[in-house]
Every structure is written in structure tokens, then in C-alpha cells.
Amino acid sequence: MENGSMFFGSKGDPGAQPLATPMSVIERGVYRGPHYYSHTPMIRIMLDLGRLEEWPSDRIPGFADALLELLPGLDRHGCSYKRRGGFVRRLREGTWIGHIVEHVALELQTLAGTRMTRGKTRSVKNRPGVYNVMFAYGEEEVGLLAGRTALELVNSLLPPELQGIENLNRVHEIEGAFDLGRRMDALKRLVRRTSYGPTTQSIVDEAKRRGIPVMRLDAGSLLQLGHGKYQQRIRASITGQTSMVAVDAAGDKNFTKTLLGDSGIPVPKGVVVRNVEDAVRAARRLRYPLVTKPLDGNHGRGVTIGIQNEDQLRFGFAEAQAQAKGRDIIVEQNFAGNDHRILVIGGKLSAVAERIPAHVVGDGVHSIRELVQEVNRDPRRGEGHEKVMTKIKIDAHVTEYLGRSGLTPESIPGAGQIVYLRATANLSTGGTAVDRTNEIHFDNAEIARRAAMIIGLDIAGIDFICPDISKSVRETGGGVIEVNAAPGFRMHIEPSEGAPRDVARPVVEMLFPRGQRSRVPILAITGTNGKSTTGRMVKHIMRYTGCTVGLTSTSGVYINDILVSEGDATGPRSARLVLRDPTVEIAVLETARGGLLREGLAFDEADVGAVLNVSADHLGLKGIETVEDLAEVKSLIIETVSRNGSSVLNADDPLTVKMARRARGRIIWFSLNGGPDMAAFLRHHIEDGGTAIVREPGHEGGTIVQYDRGVRDVIMKAGDIPATLHGMATFNIANALAAAAMCIARGVSILTIRAALTNFRSSFEQNPGRLNVHDAHGFRVIVDYAHNAAGLEALGEVVKGLRHRYKRSIGVLSIPGDRRDEDIRELGRIASGIFDELFFLEDPATRGRPRGEVMNLLQQGAIEGGMTGDRIHLIAGEAEATAAGLHAAGPGELVVVTPTEVDATWQQVISFERIESATTKRPSQLVAAE
């Protein structure tokens, strides 16, 4: 690159004006479940390429070669060509920087120890040069750091004229200038810190193989397997069924020996001492060789075996004392033989491994210390329990043990000479394992099995010493020296020699016997309008079946009828709250657009998914520009329905009808247009034996009917549902159709549905913020959360149906400020055709708009709809506007309030008292001037 200026200008015109805007991170997100772009959890980085939009990779000399030199593993990426070398081909043909960042982030995670392969990069509609860069991750923190490192690495390979990234800390904050080596070290450390250990990972893999949901509950290894009442918890190999009494018993090694010895289990004789002189006196009685160890130790820490004299005894006592939590030290007989770990799960023997102490094999050239360094280069060895074997460390224990044979770490053993570094064979100190599962003698297996059951552990690691595991210790001598709670699995999963044993399977089968459920039924609901009411109806019906129901909704999370978390709870965090609750037997999850776009779903599949409708709302946000885009987002619910589940769709909505081709499970349609007005496709569906819930025409809202397998069954009269206001609230009839369809999908009887819906009222207590009626002030007040044009039109049909009963109707209305201008004006226009007088309010949180703009746009729409300005009042503040609307109402009139703060508004309505002085003012005089 001799002339850096060649990198400026637009594509195809090197002489054009420079593009000065550097690459910039706009936002980042973490999809923790299925989402709009994929069903794979992914990190998303929204990236504005700025000037780099004009510079695909083939236009940057040397870029591809430099990248491949640093990350040769990119050659394995198939990319769109779906074969090795596919990404490199794209790189050389020319691809954009965002796409390159995606692949680099995947490769960096693979190099750090968590192999990831899935990703995608998509341009953002109507925003040239802006891309959503997405890639899979194993652990969230690792994925975010990989994303930042990928951006830094790609940026470092660009010519100076094109370098620069703004807002990089939005991805992940880390100190220090970019250095690939340091970043990779940090990434590997993070992988070690956040990844599961071998034991936990094996159980997670087996649970997922069985289709059992896995939820991580903390930063460590505490996991929930399953949902709701069916859940089980584990931490490594400690389960929720593990007895605390048994763990305490196993932790007291002397008590363990006493309990086992009294039950006929062969154990070594020994005593507990508190000082070294008592240990020396005990040794004279017990006779050498001996073992010293802490009373409360584990993982072989502080254990010294094969003690032959007093000096070694004093050393062993000091080592034990250094590792002991208390003062008590065990001095016991040393069983002769090989060290074995016998794994007992659920009272059955699952695996046997012979453990061999850490050792090196001499070559006549290198010292013991150098041979240890060579052994530690084995990629299977790591720090602690991160890998299948642990690195060997030369410490005082090793030095003392070598000294027994007249050796030091600097000694050079002869060629082929095996030098053991420790007497103990724990994997945590560098030992290795040989599988002996098929060699164990029945007597030895039975002794180990009984030992686990006597202590009371559901999962136990039995330390068993004997000369030959294939012969009975009744003949050869030896026996049980310890019973361990929380035994590690890695020696069985990947032994150094012999066959690996699938020891996670019996753990999962113990927790979830074949045929036992692990999931609660999930009924997920989405749509533009009606989600909350439908969800509450479904919960109400399911309560009649005797189930404990968890519900997420716009007003909070409910377990049965108890509000356990208040506020808008329609996202994945609230769904996880329900799925974690140990009492829940069925989950009814209202699922809104915001959570889907922000984080995805909290579950991998639903038993019933329902899309109620799709209409213009929240457009222009998060890349969702059209109702067709919105339908794509909401269709995720029915795409994640299980194979044996059901997708419930609205046959009256063209956009939900189109979703049928993507729906999984069987399709159940619902429709307000039964009888002669029934759509032809729906009639064919019914004639083919499909299931549909329809409203057939008739008095007071008509009749709700089920069609299934060619049989017509009447469920109930629509007007018999109190929430429909004798059939006038058509939108609540539609909600009842959807609720009935979802419950029928779960096998609920028509009788139960009828009984439940007959008692479902649109009261504040039962359905807050949805067509709540109050009649105590001489006029009627309706409080309803109609927050978009379609919702207001539906509410308007009710108001128009009631018009003959009231002298005048007053609307107190608003709309969130993040809606498009045209959507705000449209709501004002619709309101002008419904109400005689309007109070437009503005919430203090204007969502980025100048104060007063929302009200002015609503006013413009109302005037365009034909309402005169003297009947329109603009008031800043929900409480103030509500008060003005209530004061403006006279006897026999109707006030409709569509609040944001539903609870506060309802309390304001029921506690309203007319202030006489206020009634003498015209409503326009109550305007809060800005």
C-alpha cells in the first residue's frame, strides 16, 4: 500500500470526496432463546459501517491474507457455500466488514475452547450501511468479549485511513489497548471461569439429549433441569435429592468408617488425634504403614499414604493439619493395593476407575521437573477441573515423596523408569485413570453399593483399595477407605485408558425416570391486541381444571390469583420467573413484540402457540417498518410449537392466515365469521376434519361452536360471557374464541370451558385495564388499555353500541410517543368518529419527542376526522387529563379512559369526587400550558 489516499472515495470512483464517518457500534443485544432471525441463541451487534460500506474485502489490498495468517481456522468455515473454504472464497470475492466480524467472532470462540459455527449478518431496512451482525455463543460474557475482539482485530488489519470504531464499549468493556495475544488470553480465562466443569457439562448434554430444559441459576454450576413443578436442581453431582444428613456423614471420615464398619463393610482401623504426639502414640498401636488425612478433607488434599516411620508421620500430620478446616486428623491403617473409584448412582454401580498417581517416565536425559513440564503440555490437562486431566504441580508433598526414594525434582531418571510423584492417586493432583468397570468382582461391587446406601447418598464416589479389583476383598484384603459426596465424573467420562462411561445418563434417569414429565405445558400468546385478556381467560379456564397456573401479562406475573411481580411482564425474564416457580403446573405466557426483538423467547418450544391478530403498532422501531415485518416477528410463536402441539390462528386476519404455512403442530382456527359468512378455506378445513372454534350469528353476540373431526358442538352463547357485555364487546368474543381454542388444544372439556367463561368478568380485579366499568358517580366510566388504532376501533364499536343509552361520550386518550406520526394522527382521526368530546393527554415519558408533540398530532388527526377544535382539549399528564374528563362528565354520560398507568387511573376513577369550582370552568380552561 504505497498511497493511502487510494482508500478514499465511493465505490468505483476513487477520486470522489472522502467518506469521513468511521465504523460505529449502534447497539448490542443478547438473544437467549429463539428469536426473529434464528432459533439459535446469538449475540447481536448493530454496526454502522460508515465509510467501510464502500470497501468490501476485495478492495482492501492484503486484508484477506493478513486475516487468514492470524486465523487460519477460518478456512474451515463453509459460509453460504456450505463447504470448507466457503468463507475464504467470499472473503476473496468481496464481502462486507460486518460479515467478516461475524466469522471472526465465531473463530475466536472456537480458539478459546468453545466451538461455535452458526451466525448471520443482515442489513437493516432503510438504513444504508447498517447491519445486524449475529453469531452463536456458548456463554454470554464469552460471546460479547469475542464480538469486541473481532471488531478490534478486523479494524487493526485495515489501512490507517479506514481505521476507527466508535462506541466499542457498547459491546463489552475491557481495559487496555488492543493486542490479540492479550485478548485471547483474556478470552480463554473467561471461558475457564464461565464454562461448566466436566461433571456438570456431561449432565447438561444428557439432559438436552433427552429434551429436558436446562436453566443456569447462578454464575457457577447450580442448574435447574425441567420446568415448574417437574424441575430438579443440581450442582455438579449434588442433586436436589441428595440428603444433607448424608453429605454431613460423608464429610466426617471417622464417622463414615464407624457407620460402615458397624454394618460389615471392610474399613481400615484408625483413630482421630489433635496433635502430632498423639499421632505418634497412635502409630505405635496401629503399626506402620499408615495414612494421615484431615477428618473433613476432600479431593485428596492433605492425604499422605504409605507412611513407614515417625519422620514421615510428622510430615503427614503437618500436611493434613494445613488442609484441615478443624483440628481433627485421622491416623489409620494403610490398605495395600491399587486405588479405585467406584461410582454408585441411585443405588446402582455405574462405573469403576483405577486411579494411578501422577508420574513421569524417564528418558535418561531430562530431569523430573522437565519431564513434568512435558507431561503438562498434553492438551487434555488443564488447571483444576477444567479438563479431563489436571496439570501436575511440584509442591512440598511431591518433594517429600520423592525424597523417600532418594530423589529430588532435579534428578534424572533412567530411560523407561517410572517415577511416581505422589502416593495418592487423585485426578485433582495430576493422577490418571484406567476404566475397570467390566472387571470388578461382584463382592466388591456389592460392598461399594451398600456403602453408598448406608451413608444415604444418591450419588456417591467410593474410594476402594485392593490388590486386584477382579478378586473379592474378602480374599485379598482391602476395602472402603472413603465415601464421597459430589464425586467428579471426569475419570469415567474420559479415562486415560479404557472405554468412556456415560455416567450422566443414570443421573438424569434417576431424576427423570422414563415416562416422567420434565416440562410444564407452555401456552404462548401474541398478537397486536387482546393478548392480556386472552391470557387471563386461559388462566381462568385452567384454574377450573385444578392446575396451578403461572401467567405473565401486562399487569404482572401471577401464580394462580396471587400477583408475585408487578409491572409489564410480557418479556422473557418474566416467562423465566414462571418456569422457575416450583409450584407451577401450566404456564400461560403473554409474549409481546418488545421482548421478542430484544431477547427472544424464554423457552425453546411451546405446547400451544396463538397469534390473535396483527395490525399497525410499534412500526418504525427495531427495524420493523411494516405490518408484514411485524407479522414475521409474531410468527415466531407458532414456529416454536412442538411437533405434537397446536398452533391457534385467527381465520379473520389475512396476516395470521398467511402464517399457517409456517405453523407447527396441528392448526386450530378461530373466527367471528361462522355460518354463511365463513371463509372458504375455513370451511374446507372443517370439512376435512380439522378443528375450529367459531362464532355463529345469533342474538346477543351469537353462539360459540366447536368443529372437530366433522362434529359440531355448542360451547356456549357469547352473551353468557360477562366480559362481552351481553355480546356487544365483539373483541372479547374473539378473545374468548382464542382462549377456548387454546384450552381445547390441551384437552380441556367443553363443560369446563363453559363453566369458567360464564364467570369471567371484565372487572378490574379479574382483567385489569381491559373494559373495566365503573358506575358510581352518576355517569359510566370505562377504563381500557386501547393503545393503538385497531384497539381503539374495537373499543369504539362498544361505545357506539352503547350510544343510545348515554347523552354524550367523552374520550380521555393518548398513545406512546415512540409511534410513527401517521399512527398518532390515525388514532386521533378514529377518536373523532367515536366521541363527542376529547381530552388528549401526554405522558411525562414522551419517548424522545418534544413536550406537546404527541398531543398536537392527536389533535391534527381529530380535526382531519371532522371534530371541531372547541371539543378538543390538550392536557399534559395522565392524572390531570383523567380528572378533567371526569369533571366534564354529567349525569347519564359516558367517559372512556385509555391509561398507561392502569392501577393509578382506576384508583382515581373509583375515588373521584366532583370539585364544584372546577365544574364552573370549561374543559379548555383546564389545559396545562407548556
Side-chain angles (χ1 to χ4, degrees):
M1 186 182 69
E2 296 179 1
N3 184 0
S5 63
M6 69 175 287
F7 294 102
F8 287 91
S10 61
K11 189 173 182 179
D13 184 9
Q17 288 296 313
L19 293 168
T21 307
M23 181 163 53
S24 175
V25 176
I26 299 174
E27 65 181 29
R28 62 92 163 163
V30 179
Y31 294 125
R32 298 179 175 91
H35 52 96
Y36 180 45
Y37 301 98
S38 171
H39 288 196
T40 301
M42 289 182 173
I43 302 292
R44 178 181 65 86
I45 300 172
M46 185 181 283
L47 197 60
D48 185 345
L49 295 188
R51 58 193 171 214
L52 289 171
E53 173 67 2
E54 303 295 333
W55 292 98
S57 56
D58 63 320
R59 297 191 68 217
I60 307 173
F63 176 83
D65 291 334
L67 180 61
L68 293 171
E69 183 178 349
L70 288 173
L71 301 177
L74 290 172
D75 183 57
R76 294 190 301 268
H77 295 212
C79 200
S80 57
Y81 292 107
K82 300 187 184 303
R83 61 177 181 270
R84 187 183 181 98
F87 173 68
V88 172
R89 180 177 171 185
R90 291 286 305 275
L91 192 63
R92 297 199 183 281
E93 290 174 346
T95 189
W96 270 257
I97 293 298
H99 181 215
I100 296 168
V101 168
E102 167 207 325
H103 280 271
V104 171
L106 292 169
E107 182 62 18
L108 291 174
Q109 290 182 85
T110 298
L111 291 173
T114 55
R115 185 171 183 266
M116 293 292 142
T117 60
R118 296 181 67 99
K120 56 176 62 180
T121 298
R122 296 289 182 269
S123 59
V124 176
K125 285 186 178 180
N126 302 324
R127 298 183 70 176
V130 178
Y131 296 83
N132 278 314
V133 178
M134 293 165 287
F135 50 89
Y137 64 93
E139 293 298 329
E140 187 173 313
E141 287 185 70
V142 173
L144 290 171
L145 180 55
R148 173 175 177 138
T149 305
L151 284 165
E152 292 177 303
L153 173 57
V154 169
N155 181 65
S156 72
L157 300 178
L158 296 172
E161 297 89 343
L162 297 180
Q163 287 184 3
I165 312 174
E166 294 182 349
N167 305 317
L168 191 56
N169 281 343
R170 287 180 178 173
V171 180
H172 185 89
E173 292 190 21
I174 189 169
E175 295 180 357
F178 174 70
D179 176 89
L180 182 58
R182 285 201 297 268
R183 285 288 189 270
M184 285 306 303
D185 288 342
L187 201 57
K188 290 175 181 178
R189 286 195 302 272
L190 194 56
V191 168
R192 288 196 295 269
R193 182 167 62 83
T194 59
S195 296
Y196 298 128
T199 300
T200 304
Q201 188 64 59
S202 68
I203 295 173
V204 167
D205 292 343
E206 175 61 18
K208 289 181 176 179
R209 190 191 67 80
R210 285 266 309 267
I212 297 170
V214 178
M215 301 173 73
R216 194 170 193 168
L217 301 181
D218 67 1
S221 58
L222 180 61
L223 304 179
Q224 175 182 313
L225 308 181
H227 290 155
K229 70 170 289 185
Y230 304 113
Q231 67 179 268
Q232 298 284 349
R233 291 183 180 177
I234 65 163
R235 187 188 293 279
S237 61
I238 290 283
T239 78
Q241 298 177 8
T242 302
S243 163
M244 189 64 188
V245 172
V247 172
D248 284 345
D252 185 333
K253 300 184 185 304
N254 196 56
F255 174 72
T256 296
K257 285 200 306 177
T258 301
L259 198 59
L260 295 179
D262 290 346
S263 301
I265 302 294
V267 294
K269 294 178 181 179
V271 296
V272 176
V273 298
R274 290 195 166 188
N275 60 68
V276 71
E277 298 306 325
D278 286 345
V280 172
R281 284 191 288 270
R284 296 190 188 112
R285 295 193 304 273
L286 294 170
R287 298 185 181 181
Y288 297 107
L290 296 173
V291 174
T292 55
K293 57 186 175 183
L295 179 72
D296 50 12
N298 55 36
H299 298 298
R301 298 186 185 100
V303 178
T304 304
I305 69 174
I307 295 172
Q308 299 287 354
N309 55 52
E310 185 173 320
D311 288 343
Q312 292 177 6
L313 178 67
R314 289 179 181 276
F315 173 86
F317 183 89
E319 285 291 300
Q321 202 169 46
Q323 295 293 332
K325 298 173 186 175
R327 296 172 56 196
D328 295 330
I329 306 300
I330 292 176
V331 180
E332 67 183 18
Q333 294 174 329
N334 187 101
F335 276 165
N338 299 320
D339 186 339
H340 300 86
R341 167 60 64 83
I342 302 174
L343 184 64
V344 178
I345 300 172
K348 298 177 181 178
L349 185 143
S350 295
V352 181
E354 179 184 341
R355 298 184 294 187
I356 300 172
H359 63 278
V360 294
V361 179
D363 60 5
V365 176
H366 295 92
S367 68
I368 292 173
R369 189 183 301 277
E370 290 170 333
L371 292 170
V372 166
Q373 292 172 353
E374 184 62 30
V375 168
N376 284 341
R377 291 192 182 97
D378 186 335
R380 296 176 298 169
R381 290 188 183 269
E383 300 294 334
H385 295 272
E386 66 174 358
K387 294 188 177 180
V388 296
M389 292 190 293
T390 300
K391 289 184 177 181
I392 301 170
K393 293 182 180 179
I394 297 177
D395 55 16
H397 214 133
V398 170
T399 302
E400 188 276 337
Y401 189 75
L402 288 173
R404 298 184 190 182
S405 304
L407 300 173
T408 72
E410 311 312 322
S411 299
I412 299 176
Q417 180 184 351
I418 298 175
V419 179
Y420 289 98
L421 305 175
R422 293 178 182 272
T424 56
N426 297 77
L427 266 66
S428 58
T429 56
T432 54
V434 179
D435 180 69
R436 304 291 188 196
T437 304
N438 291 335
E439 300 174 29
I440 189 170
H441 191 279
F442 174 81
D443 287 351
N444 300 340
E446 186 63 13
I447 288 169
R449 191 187 68 82
R450 288 191 63 238
M453 297 181 70
I454 289 164
I455 299 301
L457 289 170
D458 57 341
I459 302 176
I462 312 299
D463 289 347
F464 198 91
I465 303 293
C466 65
D468 187 343
I469 196 69
S470 66
K471 296 179 180 178
S472 172
V473 291
R474 307 290 188 193
E475 301 173 0
T476 65
V480 175
I481 60 168
E482 284 186 18
V483 176
N484 298 278
F489 289 176
R490 59 179 178 157
M491 71 184 75
H492 307 297
I493 296 167
E494 290 193 62
S496 307
E497 296 179 35
R501 300 294 169 178
D502 185 2
V503 294
R505 177 175 293 187
V507 173
V508 176
E509 287 182 347
M510 177 184 70
L511 298 174
F512 298 95
R514 294 289 174 175
Q516 178 177 305
R517 295 190 65 114
S518 63
R519 299 170 177 261
V520 298
I522 293 175
L523 284 69
I525 306 164
T526 194
T528 303
N529 294 303
K531 300 184 295 293
S532 292
T533 298
T534 302
R536 290 164 182 157
M537 284 180 171
V538 172
K539 186 202 82 167
H540 188 66
I541 295 168
M542 287 299 179
R543 291 280 287 123
Y544 271 58
T545 68
C547 290
T548 298
V549 184
L551 170 71
T552 63
S553 70
T554 50
S555 57
V557 177
Y558 296 80
I559 306 298
N560 285 342
D561 299 320
I562 306 299
L563 178 63
V564 297
S565 179
E566 193 172 2
D568 189 342
T570 57
R573 181 178 300 179
S574 301
R576 285 192 290 270
L577 189 158
V578 167
L579 297 175
R580 284 196 299 262
D581 191 285
T583 67
V584 166
E585 295 174 275
I586 187 165
V588 181
L589 306 178
E590 179 181 344
T591 308
R593 166 210 61 89
L596 289 174
L597 289 172
R598 181 179 64 255
E599 192 179 327
L601 293 172
F603 50 87
D604 57 352
E605 64 178 26
D607 296 87
V608 181
V611 184
L612 306 183
N613 45 64
V614 182
S615 59
D617 194 19
H618 299 279
L619 300 182
L621 300 173
K622 299 285 186 182
I624 306 304
E625 303 295 334
T626 67
V627 286
E628 288 76 18
D629 294 341
L630 191 58
E632 286 278 324
V633 174
K634 293 184 181 295
S635 68
L636 179 64
I637 292 296
I638 46 97
E639 290 173 13
T640 54
V641 167
S642 64
R643 183 184 304 171
N644 297 320
S646 300
S647 292
V648 174
L649 294 171
N650 185 352
D652 303 332
D653 187 313
L655 289 170
T656 60
V657 170
K658 289 180 180 178
M659 292 181 193
R661 61 186 175 82
R662 305 170 69 169
R664 297 186 64 199
R666 67 165 173 158
I667 294 178
I668 301 178
W669 294 102
F670 68 93
S671 173
L672 288 166
N673 300 314
D677 295 329
M678 184 182 294
F681 82 88
L682 182 56
R683 192 175 301 280
H684 292 318
H685 174 78
I686 291 171
E687 290 171 353
D688 290 340
T691 305
I693 312 299
V694 303
R695 189 269 306 264
E696 295 182 346
H699 182 61
E700 290 196 345
T703 303
I704 298 175
V705 173
Q706 170 188 271
Y707 287 94
D708 183 45
R709 299 178 186 178
V711 177
R712 176 183 180 275
D713 286 306
V714 173
I715 297 177
M716 64 192 306
K717 295 286 186 183
D720 290 342
I721 304 172
T724 68
L725 302 183
H726 304 288
M728 283 189 295
T730 304
F731 58 87
N732 269 350
I733 299 176
N735 293 335
L737 293 172
M742 295 183 74
C743 293
I744 284 168
R746 289 301 306 161
V748 180
S749 71
I750 287 176
L751 291 176
T752 301
I753 294 171
R754 182 185 302 147
L757 290 180
T758 300
N759 288 290
F760 187 86
R761 292 169 172 77
S762 204
S763 63
F764 179 79
E765 293 71 24
Q766 207 165 14
N767 196 19
R770 304 305 188 273
L771 204 63
N772 304 148
V773 179
H774 189 72
D775 286 322
H777 306 307
F779 54 87
R780 170 164 283 191
V781 181
I782 294 177
V783 176
D784 188 274
Y785 185 68
H787 60 290
N788 55 49
L792 186 60
E793 283 183 326
L795 182 60
E797 292 300 316
V798 175
V799 174
K800 291 174 182 177
L802 296 170
R803 182 165 285 169
H804 66 283
R805 301 186 186 183
Y806 303 104
K807 299 176 183 177
R808 188 170 66 124
S809 62
I810 298 168
V812 182
L813 312 172
S814 188
I815 186 172
D818 58 2
R819 304 313 195 261
R820 301 177 303 176
D821 288 2
E822 56 263 42
D823 296 330
I824 298 174
R825 282 193 292 265
E826 175 66 7
L827 190 132
R829 187 193 64 75
I830 293 169
S832 70
I834 299 172
F835 300 103
D836 300 305
E837 191 154 5
L838 286 169
F839 290 80
F840 289 133
L841 63 101
E842 187 170 77
D843 192 75
T846 59
R847 305 194 186 186
R849 288 184 179 270
R851 176 67 65 199
E853 186 175 33
V854 171
M855 293 188 295
N856 288 327
L857 288 168
L858 287 167
Q859 183 181 44
Q860 290 174 26
I863 291 172
E864 290 169 5
M867 182 167 277
T868 58
D870 62 321
R871 291 187 290 144
I872 303 172
H873 316 285
L874 310 183
I875 299 182
E878 190 161 275
E880 294 81 359
T882 301
L886 295 173
H887 279 295
E893 295 185 346
L894 173 67
V895 180
V896 175
V897 186
T898 63
T900 299
E901 298 295 332
V902 172
D903 288 6
T905 300
W906 182 252
Q907 292 304 316
Q908 185 178 0
V909 168
I910 62 177
S911 61
F912 171 72
E913 292 183 8
R914 189 179 299 281
I915 300 172
E916 195 59 37
S917 61
T919 63
T920 63
K921 299 180 181 180
R922 288 293 302 151
S924 57
Q925 294 176 285
L926 298 172
V927 173
E930 283 293 305

